[in-house]
Amino acid sequence: VRFDCFRKVIYKLFCCYSGIPGSSLDHFSDKWMCKQGCLSAFNIFHKSLDQLVIPIQCQVENIIGAFHQPKGVIIDPDVLSTLPERQIKNGLAESLKMGMNFNKELFELFKSESYMDSIDKIIELSLRIKKNVVEKDEKESSLRKSLNFGHTIGHGIESSLDGELFHGECVALGIIPMCAGSIKDEVISVMKNIGLPTEVSIDKEKVRKIICHDKKSGSESISVVKCDKIGSFYFENMTAEEIMNLI
């Protein structure tokens, strides 16, 4: 192992356990140790599922980032179990999202009252899905856009509430309007089983303005991800007004 790589691992582990946000530490370590091999390790469940195999790393989401793939991923479920229950549920929203779009087996795990008994499998399936997507489309030209499922509305809710809800909780809320009527009740039932919010009071105009600045927006439309069958997805271009009509 090169010393530079080892130093980066130690730096990341220090930031992880000292509570420095994962996105921030990864971006600065990538600049400090540019192009050196790295291992990623987090004790924040949401970051474990959503960031360990993602090459764009940034503190203010979608503003600045770097493209460096990790050489390995380290997750210790025993460490994650020290988190508050709400943070665990927050992270599971990202896993539920990937099950809805890519793997019905993963989605079905959340129907059990004892889904936490399968947490190792949930984490592994989630990361393998994301690894496969990112390897095929590193810079989000096509397939990787599917990982934005629930994020268009979710980001709007998250920003409008100024931190009242966690990211994963907002993504869950953003997923519901993007589901076909035939599966919506089933999805809401699973979210309730996990303990995720399924409704919230928002300032719709504030959310609309945030959605208009969405990174996936074109000149007049926004590319959103929809789900009409568990285990699959499709893209649709919509205006901000059309999106707001779904809420």
Side-chain angles (χ1 to χ4, degrees), residues 4 9 11 19 22 34 41 50 58-59 76 120 128 130 137 158 167-168 174 193 205 214 225 246:
D4 285 347
V9 172
Y11 169 71
C34 186
D50 194 45
C58 47
Q59 183 174 13
D76 184 351
D120 288 9
R128 288 193 181 280
K130 193 152 195 177
D137 182 20
E158 184 176 11
H167 177 75
N193 188 51
E205 180 57 24
D214 190 278
V225 186
L246 296 176

Side-chain angles (χ1 to χ4, degrees), residues 140-242:
E140 198 171 317
S141 61
S142 55
L143 178 63
R144 185 172 165 179
K145 293 180 180 179
S146 64
L147 300 179
N148 294 318
F149 184 45
H151 284 62
T152 299
I153 294 175
H155 283 158
I157 294 173
E158 184 176 11
S159 297
S160 70
L161 294 179
D162 297 322
E164 179 182 335
L165 293 179
F166 294 145
H167 177 75
E169 294 172 332
C170 294
V171 168
L173 290 165
I175 283 174
I176 295 172
M178 296 300 171
C179 293
S182 58
I183 64 169
K184 188 170 292 186
D185 288 345
E186 180 183 12
V187 170
I188 289 175
S189 176
V190 169
M191 287 183 177
K192 288 181 176 179
N193 188 51
I194 295 173
L196 290 166
T198 57
E199 55 184 26
V200 66
S201 178
I202 58 172
D203 181 335
K204 285 194 173 184
E205 180 57 24
K206 193 172 182 179
V207 172
R208 188 194 67 80
K209 289 180 179 179
I210 295 168
I211 287 176
C212 287
H213 293 286
D214 190 278
K215 69 172 182 176
K216 299 167 288 300
S217 61
S219 57
E220 297 181 355
S221 64
I222 301 169
S223 176
V224 300
V225 186
K226 288 190 170 184
C227 180
D228 58 359
K229 181 181 178 181
I230 301 300
S232 64
F233 67 91
Y234 64 97
F235 297 112
E236 182 176 329
N237 290 324
M238 303 180 69
T239 65
E241 287 69 25
E242 288 173 333

Side-chain angles (χ1 to χ4, degrees), residues 26 40 42 47-57 68-75 98 123 126-135 137-138 144 147:
D26 268 329
S40 292
F42 286 100
K47 294 303 180 186
S48 297
L49 292 177
D50 194 45
Q51 198 179 68
L52 285 177
V53 293
I54 193 167
I56 295 183
Q57 302 149 341
H68 296 301
Q69 298 287 1
K71 297 298 183 181
V73 173
I74 300 173
I75 294 178
M98 287 182 272
I123 292 173
S126 300
L127 290 181
R128 288 193 181 280
I129 290 170
K130 193 152 195 177
K131 175 179 181 290
N132 181 59
V133 170
V134 172
E135 284 181 341
D137 182 20
E138 182 182 48
R144 185 172 165 179
L147 300 179

